[in-house]
């Protein structure tokens, strides 16, 4: 039985993990795919560098052509990261009829459509399970397990850094800045944390999940993004007092043919399964018409989980090669993308206001909501230490984003409203 | 491209769902496996009966031989339930080199080893994803996603009826009997609820999960079982007060080469992801050495989720047929089973005692624990309404089951101990 030859682009921690797994699990791989797997060439930046994994030096190369133009190599595994060069290599590999496995979410979020189209045109697979949440087999589950179902909603905690920060803020009552600093010291957040805390990393993953779950080409620009930099301890306290937990949620909703994709700090009932996903863990909650509600939970990153996901994809690709069905995976979008407008998006909202502590203010504020037919699920009013001010916290029933934004605008114009302190989406009610 | 012919044993709600999915998703199936799938024959008890699904009457038969002896049929789907007859049909189908997909947990828990051996000897697949928790692709994840990992522990809420009862008791403070009655009226519990409330159904699923996750032949008799019939409202109250939630947990632990499998009402920290799995939902928590902690959550039963799981298995079987790798699935146990003894099993324990309300009693009780080197994580002591008695609730640190049982025995012999009210396993600490 002839071995399948594989080429690796990159030999960092994930790449080394992949090499190690392929070596150590030859028997298991044989059982699953019916033939041996062999690493043929590995692209590295420096051949001389010391490495944690033992690799035959003759496998290493600094020339990408040794892999992407190599007629013996049938599968290319991309674990080098980066965007523009990497895109070029992958396109060239696909044009040369090589199947590709990647762990690169940045690349897939930005150039996913182009790459998947190239894969399909060349009859090749492009698998990218490791790009979303390495430790959770979520993409495979969306494609396989839920293949005969219609997915109507996905909610994901898909960024470990922000989940760690919100968990710490919430459990220990600490402010954002100090928790971020601690996270940076512990290595949970990067020196420049913008991509995480401003929601961009989560948005990339939601673009990938949305594309796959709804079978539409969701671009990164389609994802509305709001990060966690303005979340305060007070917000978290009020949330808890009302029975909610705050999470940076990626939300993808489909109603009829239209979809909404966003990433924003949102409140979930504390009894909701996603509310217990703490620290650096990730989870994706999926609503399917047939299967109902399912959730996948696990480590979001880490070199071993990611390498494990890459090898699982490799097994899938090789099975398809032997079946002769490469390039037909369900990842090719089937529907035309149609985004909801503000009048079509709807959710519950949490709103915190500072108002003048005068007679009639409460009724003035609430009548403004009534005018727009938005009713309340929960209301809190409290005096503030600051002289002459009171605090109002409300959770509305479901309202369209358009109506809610009109209400916010009109509230700002009221003399009695001193400041709109915060506003968050509220998710996770039973009926949705 | 020649179609793959499939025979169904049974056409109840799950069977009808399978037929419907195969008909409605021919295109998706083609994409996944590269050839059409055709239902050739269906075994029913009554050909004349009216059915919710439209089926060509010529497909129906009352003779199992039309399926299991039919040379044209390559895959048999068993959705008829039952044990002895069904076992015979499945063995015969396997001997005739037919691959089999089943949703029958009772059968797999009792005769799984025999059937899997027969499958392997005949070079056939026997897939049974739908037998554990229909809405959760847990078996496939254990076999595929975690294939290159070593699983050290699984904890599962794998019975919807008992989870519904415990959730209601806990949230509404109602006694077991009245919640069970309500559950029966609502159809969540059967008229004879023994298999559910006494833990047998969960034990069957844990035998299947243990066999697969640890790659050992775990028999139903290997699973220690304790049901929820003796759980009281007081236990749930104390649990909550100490920060725990009670669940009927299936627990499978591997340490070195030895394993422990049990089903028993257990306490979890309320912040643990499994603690939020409420009502009829199921979830399986898996610890893998490489991937870390993952959890799969979803509906435990229901005809649509189960039918969806059966079709997913069918796709897997057909892929393997076309690859020529049937009969090599990872489900064939690789290790010899070695069960832990009482000295090797260890966990934390929750214990509730009634003692005489006298000077020195507390120290007498605690010194008994100290004698066996078992220390406490939490202690509560309260006077009781009943004259002259006090209540002591403790949570121990990790202790061997043998030591703990010795302590229980010695406590019973103490004059000052009036009654041991309850004792539960405590799970879900960070380090395990």
């Amino acid at each position: 039985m002839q071995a399948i030859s594989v080429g690796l682009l990159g030999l960092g921690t994930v790449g080394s993990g992949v090499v190690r797994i392929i070596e150590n699990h030859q028997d298991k791989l044989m059982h699953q795919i019916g033939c041996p797997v062999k690493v043929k060439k590995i692209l590295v930046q420096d051949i001389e560098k010391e490495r944690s994994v033992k690799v035959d030096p003759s496998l290493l190369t600094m020339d990408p052509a040794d892999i992407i133009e190599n007629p013996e190599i049938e599968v290319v595994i991309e674990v080098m990261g980066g965007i523009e060069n990497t895109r070029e290599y992958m396109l060239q590999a696909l044009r040369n009829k090589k199947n590709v496995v990647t762990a690169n979410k940045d690349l897939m979020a930005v150039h996913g459509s182009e790459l998947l189209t190239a894969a399909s045109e060349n009859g090749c697979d492009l698998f990218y399970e490791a790009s979303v949440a390495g430790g959770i087999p979520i993409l495979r589950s969306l494609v396989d397990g839920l293949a005969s179902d219609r997915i109507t909603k996905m909610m994901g905690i898909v960024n470990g850094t922000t989940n760690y920060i919100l968990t710490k803020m919430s459990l220990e009552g600490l402010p954002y800045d100090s928790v971020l600093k601690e996270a940076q010291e512990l290595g949970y957040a990067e020196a420049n944390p913008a991509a995480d805390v401003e929601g961009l990393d989560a948005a990339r993953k939601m673009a990938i999940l949305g594309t796959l779950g709804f079978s539409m080409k969701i671009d990164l620009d389609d994802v509305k993004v709001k990060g966690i930099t303005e979340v305060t301890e007070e917000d978290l306290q009020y949330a808890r007092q009302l029975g909610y937990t705050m999470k940076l949620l990626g939300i993808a909703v489909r109603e009829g043919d239209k979809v909404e994709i966003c990433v924003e700090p949102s409140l979930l009932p504390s009894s909701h399964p996603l509310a217990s996903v703490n620290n650096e863990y990730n989870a994706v909650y999926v609503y399917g018409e047939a299967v109902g509600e399912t959730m996948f939970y696990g480590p979001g990153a880490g070199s071993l989980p990611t390498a494990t996901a890459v090898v699982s994809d490799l097994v899938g690709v090789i099975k398809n090669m032997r079946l002769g069905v490469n390039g037909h995976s369900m990842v090719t979008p089937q529907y035309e993308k149609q985004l909801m407008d503000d009048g079509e998006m709807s959710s519950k909202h949490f709103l915190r206001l500072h108002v003048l502590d005068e007679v009639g203010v409460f009724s003035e504020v609430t009548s403004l909501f009534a005018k727009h037919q938005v009713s309340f699920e929960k209301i809190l009013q409290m005096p503030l230490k600051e002289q002459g001010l009171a605090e109002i916290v409300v959770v509305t029933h479901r309202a369209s984003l358009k109506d809610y934004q009109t209400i916010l605008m009109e509230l700002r114009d009221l003399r009695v409203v001193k400041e709109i302190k915060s506003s968050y989406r509220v998710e996770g009610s039973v009926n949705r």
Side-chain angles (χ1 to χ4, degrees), chain A residues 4 33 35 37 75 314-323:
Chain A
I4 301 276
I33 57 186
C35 69
V37 179
V75 187
L314 176 65
V315 168
V317 165
I318 297 177
K319 279 190 176 180
N320 283 352
M321 285 168 60
R322 304 205 56 231
L323 292 165

Side-chain angles (χ1 to χ4, degrees), chain A residues 8-274:
Chain A
L8 260 81
L9 304 176
L11 189 60
T13 51
V14 174
S16 305
V18 169
V19 170
R20 211 176 279 127
I21 293 173
I22 291 177
E23 272 177 12
N24 296 348
H25 293 86
Q26 277 293 329
D27 283 0
K28 281 193 182 176
L29 292 173
M30 266 297 279
H31 276 312
Q32 288 187 283
I33 57 186
C35 69
V37 179
K38 204 175 145 189
V39 176
K40 195 85 182 175
K41 276 285 169 198
I42 305 174
L43 178 68
V44 294
Q45 283 187 306
D46 176 2
I47 289 187
E48 307 299 330
K49 192 178 152 187
E50 285 236 0
R51 294 170 197 286
S52 66
V53 63
K54 261 197 191 169
V55 179
D56 176 353
S58 72
L59 297 183
L60 302 181
T61 174
M62 287 163 67
D63 180 2
D66 284 350
I67 292 168
I68 56 184
E69 306 291 347
N70 187 333
E72 289 181 53
I73 288 176
E74 294 176 274
V75 187
V76 173
I77 295 177
E78 187 275 301
V79 283
M80 60 189 276
I83 298 197
E84 287 313 325
N85 278 344
T86 318
R87 167 177 162 272
E88 274 309 314
Y89 298 164
M90 280 173 63
L91 283 174
Q92 192 55 35
L94 292 168
R95 281 186 212 116
N96 290 335
K97 313 290 180 206
K98 298 182 193 321
N99 299 292
V100 174
V101 174
T102 179
N104 192 328
K105 68 171 171 297
D106 302 6
L107 180 64
M108 287 308 293
V110 179
H111 297 298
S113 301
E114 180 192 13
L115 289 162
L116 289 166
T117 304
S120 168
E121 284 171 1
N122 289 285
C124 293
D125 283 338
L126 169 54
F127 282 11
Y128 50 102
E129 178 74 67
S131 70
V132 173
I136 315 175
I138 175 67
L139 301 190
R140 202 175 314 119
S141 299
L142 288 182
V143 173
D144 278 3
L146 305 173
S148 47
D149 199 353
R150 181 185 151 89
I151 292 165
T152 54
K153 185 166 182 178
M154 292 176 279
M155 294 198 293
I157 296 172
V158 290
N159 179 272
T161 303
T162 48
N163 202 43
Y164 176 85
I165 292 173
L166 288 177
T167 303
K168 280 275 163 188
M169 283 178 71
S170 178
L171 296 183
E172 297 176 15
L174 296 172
Y176 171 77
D177 288 331
S178 79
V179 175
L180 171 61
K181 205 169 151 230
E182 189 198 324
Q184 285 171 322
E185 282 162 10
L186 290 169
Y188 287 130
E190 296 184 35
N192 177 357
D196 290 318
V197 299
E198 283 167 14
L200 182 61
D201 177 81
R204 288 185 181 126
K205 292 167 183 165
M206 290 311 296
I208 296 172
L209 284 176
T211 297
L212 208 54
F214 296 155
S215 205
M216 290 179 192
K217 276 187 195 172
I218 307 290
D219 298 313
L220 187 52
D221 289 343
D222 299 327
V223 186
K224 289 183 302 166
V225 186
K226 190 178 152 193
I228 63 162
T229 53
E230 285 164 28
V231 173
T232 65
E233 308 141 77
E234 289 78 28
D235 293 332
L236 294 173
Q237 264 173 33
Y238 281 115
R240 193 169 40 241
Q241 204 172 331
L242 292 167
Y244 295 105
T245 301
M246 191 177 302
K247 294 293 176 190
L248 182 65
L249 279 192
I251 302 167
V253 185
R254 167 155 68 179
E255 272 169 16
D257 296 332
K258 296 209 167 178
V259 301
E260 174 196 5
I261 323 264
C262 66
V263 170
E264 56 181 278
S266 308
L267 302 186
L268 285 163
S270 296
S271 60
H272 192 281
L274 279 173

